[in-house]
Amino acid sequence: MQLELSRVVQCTSRLGVLKGLGRTGQRSLEVPGCLLYTHFGTVPHLTQDTLHTMSNLPSVTQVTLSNIAEHQEVLEEFKDGFRKFAGLHDTVLYCSLHDPAMLCPTGYTTNKTVSVWGSGGRMELTVAKFMALQKSVQPDWYQSMADGETWQNSTSRKRVRKSVDRTLAHLDECLLELDGVEVFGVVEGGDILEERVRSARETAKRPVAGFCLDGLQTGSMDQSLRTQLIAAVNKELPEDKPRLLQGVGRPDEVLACIEAGVDLFESFFPFQVTERGCALCFSFDISPDPERQNGDLNHDDQTQMTSFEINLKDRRYQDDFRPLVEGCGCYCCQNHQRAYLHHLLVTNELLAGVLLMIHNTSHYHGFFAALREALAEDKLDLLKRRVLRDGARQTERKEQDG
Amino acid sequence: MQLELSRVVQCTSRLGVLKGLGRTGQRSLEVPGCLLYTHFGTVPHLTQDTLHTMSNLPSVTQVTLSNIAEHQEVLEEFKDGFRKFAGLHDTVLYCSLHDPAMLCPTGYTTNKTVSVWGSGGRMELTVAKFMALQKSVQPDWYQSMADGETWQNSTSRKRVRKSVDRTLAHLDECLLELDGVEVFGVVEGGDILEERVRSARETAKRPVAGFCLDGLQTGSMDQSLRTQLIAAVNKELPEDKPRLLQGVGRPDEVLACIEAGVDLFESFFPFQVTERGCALCFSFDISPDPERQNGDLNHDDQTQMTSFEINLKDRRYQDDFRPLVEGCGCYCCQNHQRAYLHHLLVTNELLAGVLLMIHNTSHYHGFFAALREALAEDKLDLLKRRVLRDGARQTERKEQDG
């Protein structure tokens, strides 16, 4: 895996290509970019055929050990790895520890073990068990075992230090068994600057392929502290290795983190939006051609959960015969209207999840494509204003109404 | 709509084509056949694009007034009919009264009204309201309003007679407002032979396009009584009009009813099988080529809900790396194994429903294609033995185990 940067904007925002991915080393991934999120080993609700009708799909799929751990025996018997078990099309497979769309209960970590939570409950992993699992999953690249229980505000300095030490010890054990699969080291350190720097510096000394920035997820801290910590961490990391930020997916946070020098994100956000019956509707079109602008459909709307989405369960959509996003090329917008989605949602028909997942996945990956285009054309500020103005305008109206 | 029979086997089983369907009269449907079932206006869990990758799909889609009635205002505002509202591809639209996959509570019928049950509860329909709904749905063909509350064993002769009278009165009212859309008259009469005959004879006098046989659904009576009633009814019905049997979907019952002269069925059975996490696995292959036989995969299996399916939630499938049905050409069987379906089901991932619905729909419509082929080649007995042997063999083993 090599990161080739084509452009660094304002010393931090990085545009480039991650090359040499997959077993043959022939696959690549553009950065800034995101991995394809899966839940229990599948892009939620979508068959692989439906999925691959979409454009802008990443070449890397993320699966999560917490969803897989309870199938260890079955996978060992199957022998051909999780990619084949789940019938995934040709993709680079990245295996992470926790599912970013689900909160992981804390208080179950020891010096030698971390716990993951599957559908059958908690499973305790030692490094030996963790590595046995990786052998049955057969990913191209995985996240090293880590103690990430430092995202709560109340975490003490002592606990944070312990988390950095344990995570480095786990990494050293994982690296002993490398055999051709790439490993990302995990940078911990909670909200304590010195611990973040120490964790980054120590991890960078190891032969890792890249870095996971853990414990900075949405809800753990505000964006200014997050930006400050990421900037400090990145100073310690080599330029030519990718930095994957875990647990951050909201478009405004993604934009801020790209400006802080993050390369890769997880794409769980469209799934969360789908699960609450919402559709992503924010605009990321900075084209000067007014014909191509997809309108300001969303601006008089108080039905969103974040300012980037609308909630289709709202009665106002029962007779709204427009597509989710005017001009969107996804299957859902090309074939259905908001009123029909509303109808499917209120009647609990599973097709609602299927159609929303198609749109939200397509919209989100389109946003990342627009992001790279904006970086290449030096228009990141314009894109940012476009994305944030939508959000701000709605918040304003909400307050006027409130 | 005209039914052209090409063959009548043993005076009763009818093979033919229902022609002149749809607005342009250019569509047709082979009989014996089934309509494409929808639940809340969509083939459950499947996008139209996924659906249309399947072969053997019927050209007629059934939608149900009970699922639509609460959207009347929205549909009236929409103006373009339910086919367009639900984004259905080009299809002939048939609108029935109740959803065959759901039991309809009894005790809510009056002389002038019937009740349908939507997601928001009960709605009372007069003929005027019923016809207003049909105008907003814009089907090509619909089932006349009917009082079908006679399927319980305890129904008195007086109540059955009342149901026949009311249903004829509703039909006469519906026929007053015909304007180009075809109507199926409904034959009631519970389990009372004379009332069945009276209902059929009186309905046949009216200008209907065909007949719905109501109150004979699975659970209401045993097959020998059902066969006897259908035979008596069919004697009263003209040869050249189709007979649609409501509420019967199990392969053994379908076979028996085709022998009694039924032309059309509703295809809710694959949906019910999907909802309980099962896969249709019965064989309907009567090809003499042993290479083409899809094996007896299912014979040592005690995990089925009916003898035509296997229950994939059973732990025995967690390491079963075979497709649902060896040799099946559906998307699910071509791409996934039983172990993966088991995994999706136990983790409650919606994709399980999507994949099972693909297989079960494909399998069921394949069964109907095989049925027509067997009729054409005079091999219905062979097919029947094949389908029933599978069932019998399993029942036997179950008893041995029990």
Side-chain angles (χ1 to χ4, degrees):
Chain A
M1 182 183 308
Q2 313 91 39
L3 179 59
E4 293 182 9
L5 294 177
S6 55
R7 197 183 165 92
V8 179
V9 180
Q10 292 172 339
C11 303
T12 46
S13 306
R14 293 144 53 105
L15 181 72
V17 182
L18 194 54
K19 290 190 173 166
L21 301 178
R23 292 291 148 111
T24 61
Q26 299 297 305
R27 312 297 297 273
S28 62
L29 181 68
E30 292 181 282
V31 305
C34 60
L35 312 175
L36 188 62
Y37 172 73
T38 67
H39 187 63
F40 297 120
T42 163
V43 176
H45 320 339
L46 304 185
T47 67
Q48 287 282 302
D49 271 13
T50 300
L51 181 70
H52 285 279
T53 58
M54 295 182 204
S55 48
N56 296 321
L57 282 186
S59 58
V60 181
T61 303
Q62 172 178 7
V63 296
T64 302
L65 218 51
S66 57
N67 297 155
I68 295 177
E70 48 206 355
H71 297 293
Q72 185 171 7
E73 281 175 32
V74 174
L75 279 174
E76 279 168 0
E77 191 185 334
F78 182 63
K79 292 194 177 66
D80 292 325
F82 193 77
R83 181 171 17 211
K84 198 160 172 208
F85 179 78
L88 302 177
H89 283 194
D90 183 38
T91 183
V92 179
L93 202 66
Y94 165 65
C95 185
S96 70
L97 191 58
H98 300 293
D99 188 331
M102 306 173 95
L103 257 189
C104 184
T106 56
Y108 296 94
T109 307
T110 69
N111 275 333
K112 291 289 177 197
T113 67
V114 299
S115 286
V116 293
W117 299 76
S119 55
R122 183 170 73 94
M123 280 155 298
E124 210 166 54
L125 305 182
T126 59
V127 173
K129 171 134 173 109
F130 175 89
M131 290 308 294
L133 266 165
Q134 297 293 356
K135 270 175 198 142
S136 67
V137 172
Q138 301 176 20
D140 299 303
W141 137 35
Y142 66 91
Q143 171 196 357
S144 164
M145 198 167 106
D147 170 9
E149 287 195 2
T150 58
W151 52 271
Q152 287 168 315
N153 284 329
S154 53
T155 315
S156 70
R157 180 175 288 261
K158 190 177 155 200
R159 177 70 186 85
V160 169
R161 197 178 310 129
K162 197 189 271 182
S163 126
V164 172
D165 292 337
R166 283 173 176 172
T167 299
L168 287 168
H170 295 332
L171 175 60
D172 287 333
E173 264 199 88
C174 288
L175 285 170
L176 288 178
E177 299 198 46
L178 195 70
D179 67 339
V181 185
E182 315 242 36
V183 185
F184 267 33
V186 185
V187 176
E188 299 288 353
D191 53 5
I192 299 169
L193 190 67
E194 307 87 79
E195 288 301 322
R196 283 278 164 197
V197 169
R198 181 169 75 92
S199 181
R201 191 176 293 158
E202 286 301 316
T203 309
K205 289 180 187 164
R206 273 79 172 171
V208 295
F211 305 89
C212 292
L213 311 189
D214 190 28
L216 300 161
Q217 59 263 51
T218 299
S220 64
M221 59 186 68
D222 65 23
Q223 184 57 45
S224 65
L225 176 57
R226 183 185 294 128
T227 302
Q228 195 191 332
L229 292 171
I230 293 174
V233 161
N234 282 347
K235 273 196 201 130
E236 305 297 325
L237 303 180
E239 282 280 308
D240 60 346
K241 289 184 179 175
R243 305 144 187 181
L244 165 60
L245 178 60
Q246 299 186 152
V248 170
R250 241 172 52 200
D252 55 335
E253 295 181 319
V254 165
L255 280 163
C257 291
I258 281 173
E259 288 189 309
V262 169
D263 302 312
L264 293 171
F265 296 83
E266 301 168 315
S267 63
F268 60 94
F269 185 64
F271 171 61
Q272 290 181 323
V273 172
T274 300
E275 289 309 282
R276 51 186 177 242
C278 292
L280 289 175
C281 280
F282 66 99
S283 174
F284 48 77
D285 189 350
I286 53 168
S287 141
D289 176 2
E291 293 289 315
R292 262 191 64 206
Q293 294 210 5
N294 54 18
D296 287 349
L297 278 179
N298 203 12
H299 283 154
D300 58 347
D301 213 312
Q302 276 87 47
T303 65
Q304 68 278 350
M305 306 298 291
T306 67
S307 57
F308 307 100
E309 63 201 270
I310 57 172
N311 190 331
L312 287 153
K313 288 182 187 158
D314 195 290
R315 275 185 78 85
R316 69 162 62 192
Y317 298 114
Q318 72 168 4
D319 57 354
D320 186 339
F321 304 123
R322 295 176 297 176
L324 295 178
V325 170
E326 212 81 61
C328 172
C330 86
Y331 175 81
C332 177
C333 290
Q334 290 292 310
N335 290 277
H336 297 288
Q337 334 107 26
R338 295 172 175 199
Y340 182 61
L341 268 299
H342 172 80
H343 157 77
L344 291 176
L345 281 167
V346 297
T347 52
N348 287 319
E349 179 22 65
L350 297 196
L351 188 62
V354 175
L355 292 174
L356 282 176
M357 194 64 196
I358 290 175
H359 170 76
N360 289 332
T361 302
S362 169
H363 197 84
Y364 197 68
H365 293 295
F367 164 59
F368 270 87
L371 241 163
R372 290 188 294 269
E373 207 182 311
L375 268 173
E377 295 173 2
D378 226 349
K379 288 178 177 166
L380 191 61
D381 275 348
L382 186 59
L383 176 69
K384 205 171 151 185
R385 280 200 303 277
R386 181 83 187 140
V387 171
L388 300 186
R389 192 188 57 181
D390 275 17
R393 204 182 287 186
Q394 286 173 40
T395 312
E396 200 177 286
R397 299 208 176 209
K398 252 186 166 166
E399 277 162 7
Q400 281 172 6
D401 276 29
Chain B
M1 180 183 309
Q2 311 93 38
L3 179 59
E4 292 182 9
L5 295 177
S6 56
R7 199 184 163 92
V8 179
V9 180
Q10 292 172 339
C11 304
T12 46
S13 305
R14 292 144 53 106
L15 181 72
V17 182
L18 194 55
K19 289 191 172 165
L21 301 178
R23 292 291 147 111
T24 60
Q26 299 296 307
R27 311 298 297 275
S28 62
L29 181 67
E30 292 182 280
V31 305
C34 60
L35 313 175
L36 188 62
Y37 172 73
T38 66
H39 187 63
F40 297 121
T42 162
V43 175
H45 321 338
L46 305 185
T47 68
Q48 287 282 301
D49 271 12
T50 299
L51 181 70
H52 286 281
T53 58
M54 294 183 205
S55 48
N56 295 321
L57 281 187
S59 57
V60 181
T61 302
Q62 171 177 5
V63 297
T64 302
L65 218 51
S66 56
N67 298 155
I68 295 178
E70 49 206 355
H71 297 293
Q72 184 170 7
E73 281 173 33
V74 173
L75 279 175
E76 279 167 0
E77 189 184 336
F78 183 63
K79 292 193 177 68
D80 292 324
F82 193 78
R83 184 171 13 214
K84 198 160 170 206
F85 179 77
L88 302 177
H89 284 195
D90 182 37
T91 183
V92 179
L93 201 66
Y94 165 66
C95 185
S96 70
L97 191 59
H98 300 294
D99 188 331
M102 305 173 95
L103 257 189
C104 184
T106 56
Y108 296 94
T109 308
T110 70
N111 275 334
K112 292 289 176 198
T113 67
V114 298
S115 285
V116 293
W117 299 76
S119 55
R122 185 170 73 94
M123 280 155 296
E124 208 165 55
L125 305 181
T126 58
V127 174
K129 170 132 173 108
F130 175 88
M131 291 308 296
L133 266 165
Q134 297 294 356
K135 270 175 199 143
S136 67
V137 173
Q138 301 175 20
D140 299 302
W141 136 36
Y142 66 92
Q143 172 196 358
S144 163
M145 197 166 106
D147 169 10
E149 287 196 0
T150 60
W151 53 269
Q152 287 169 316
N153 284 328
S154 54
T155 315
S156 69
R157 181 174 287 263
K158 190 177 155 200
R159 178 69 185 84
V160 169
R161 197 177 308 128
K162 197 189 268 180
S163 125
V164 172
D165 292 338
R166 283 173 175 171
T167 299
L168 287 168
H170 295 332
L171 175 59
D172 287 333
E173 264 199 87
C174 287
L175 285 170
L176 288 178
E177 299 197 47
L178 195 71
D179 65 338
V181 184
E182 314 242 36
V183 186
F184 267 34
V186 185
V187 176
E188 299 288 354
D191 53 5
I192 299 171
L193 188 69
E194 306 88 77
E195 289 301 323
R196 282 279 164 196
V197 170
R198 181 170 75 91
S199 180
R201 192 175 292 159
E202 287 301 317
T203 308
K205 289 180 186 164
R206 271 80 170 171
V208 295
F211 305 90
C212 293
L213 311 188
D214 190 26
L216 299 161
Q217 59 263 52
T218 299
S220 63
M221 59 186 70
D222 65 24
Q223 184 58 43
S224 65
L225 176 57
R226 183 185 293 128
T227 303
Q228 196 190 333
L229 292 171
I230 292 175
V233 160
N234 281 348
K235 275 198 199 125
E236 305 297 326
L237 302 181
E239 281 281 305
D240 61 345
K241 288 184 179 175
R243 305 143 187 183
L244 165 60
L245 178 61
Q246 299 187 152
V248 171
R250 241 172 52 200
D252 55 334
E253 296 182 319
V254 165
L255 281 163
C257 292
I258 281 173
E259 289 190 307
V262 168
D263 302 311
L264 293 171
F265 296 83
E266 300 168 316
S267 63
F268 59 94
F269 185 64
F271 171 60
Q272 290 181 322
V273 171
T274 300
E275 289 308 281
R276 51 186 178 243
C278 291
L280 289 174
C281 281
F282 66 100
S283 171
F284 48 77
D285 189 350
I286 54 168
S287 142
D289 176 3
E291 293 290 314
R292 264 191 62 205
Q293 295 208 6
N294 54 18
D296 287 349
L297 278 180
N298 203 10
H299 284 154
D300 59 346
D301 213 312
Q302 276 86 47
T303 64
Q304 68 278 352
M305 307 298 291
T306 67
S307 57
F308 307 100
E309 64 200 91
I310 55 171
N311 190 329
L312 287 154
K313 288 182 188 159
D314 195 291
R315 272 186 79 85
R316 70 162 62 193
Y317 297 114
Q318 74 169 1
D319 57 354
D320 187 339
F321 304 122
R322 295 175 296 176
L324 296 178
V325 171
E326 212 80 63
C328 173
C330 87
Y331 175 81
C332 176
C333 289
Q334 290 291 310
N335 291 278
H336 297 289
Q337 335 105 26
R338 295 172 175 200
Y340 183 61
L341 268 298
H342 172 82
H343 157 77
L344 292 176
L345 281 167
V346 297
T347 51
N348 287 320
E349 181 19 66
L350 296 197
L351 188 62
V354 175
L355 291 175
L356 282 177
M357 195 63 196
I358 290 175
H359 170 76
N360 289 331
T361 302
S362 168
H363 197 84
Y364 198 69
H365 293 294
F367 164 59
F368 270 87
L371 242 164
R372 289 189 293 271
E373 207 182 311
L375 268 174
E377 296 173 2
D378 224 351
K379 288 179 177 166
L380 191 60
D381 274 348
L382 185 60
L383 176 68
K384 206 170 150 185
R385 280 200 304 274
R386 180 82 187 142
V387 171
L388 300 186
R389 193 188 55 180
D390 275 18
R393 206 183 286 185
Q394 286 173 39
T395 313
E396 202 177 284
R397 299 210 177 209
K398 250 184 169 166
E399 278 162 7
Q400 280 173 6
D401 275 31

